[in-house]
Amino acid sequence: MTHVEDELTSQPECWTRAAAEAAGHAGVLPEPGERVAIVGCGTSYFMGQAVATLRERAGQGETDAFAASEFPHGRPYDRVVALTRSGTTTEVLDLLGRLRGRTRTVAITADPDTPATTAADDLVVLDFADERSVVQTRFATTALTLLRAHLGLHTDAAVTDARTALDTPLPEGLVDCTQFTFLGRGWTVGLANEAALKMREASLAWAEAYPAMEYRHGPISITTRGTATWMLGEAPEGLAHQVRGTGGLWVADGLDPLAGLVRAQRLAVAVAAARGLDPDRPRHLTRSVILGPDQPLTRRSRAAHHDR
């Protein structure tokens, strides 16, 4: 079993622990009414997108999500939450440093002994969800579960559904598809973005993601026999029928959308295996992007990747 397989199968237990510990972190997490930004890179950014939508829809206050390198410094926030598995990613540390003394910051990380622990004003450590794999799975979903629980939106059904996602076979023919499109609505748009990223990282697959209602505005033109369209969450009326009419494979599991992401992670590993790839050694990626003096933040790192 690869590291990523071992780690993704442990997610139900990680989610249960994170939900139980959420109340203990309430003092450093956003309070109702605060104006909040959630930042990260890659996977962490996509989790931030999901949390931002959940928090606003829960009536907790205006919430934005940004890639750490794209944070709008002229915009005021009461608190900035940085999601960073490794606590070493250059863009995140640079942002935390620039915000010190101006905006309250909290870093959610897997490692208590990294630069983020001193760069942020407050710290939440999810060390039980740390990972050896470059490809991030359980830390991202555990951090999202912690924040869902903090918002009062986590239920045991999500954990039950995650176990179902791990135990249920993938749809027949899905692994053999040549292109994958993930769709979401509201908070699950971020999950769709993350599912597509997992496919690209682990299996070098052609994968895209869109808000579900945008799918008809062009992207559906690539859908045909041998492609798959995967809906995370409730689908717009008529879309499943329309996709099936193209000859494409429609996937919708009815699970909690975060559990649906677990199934997508499994798909990424399965496609990698079918293509003879090692998902623990993704091409051109490292566990954390750390830029040297010859790679300023205005220039893209060759080790392009998401926050670890």
Side-chain angles (χ1 to χ4, degrees), residues 109-153:
T109 185
D111 189 344
D113 299 315
T114 56
T117 63
T118 55
D121 296 309
D122 300 302
L123 191 68
V124 174
V125 177
L126 303 176
D127 51 357
F128 58 89
D130 201 359
E131 297 161 321
R132 296 179 64 184
S133 176
V134 170
V135 175
Q136 189 175 169
T137 56
R138 72 181 179 191
F139 175 77
T141 62
T142 300
L144 178 51
T145 297
L146 175 84
L147 292 167
R148 283 180 85 183
H150 175 65
L151 294 170
L153 301 175

Side-chain angles (χ1 to χ4, degrees), residues 25 44 61 95 161 220 257 271 276 302:
H25 297 297
S44 295
L95 175 59
D161 281 356
I220 195 171
V271 172
R302 284 193 175 190

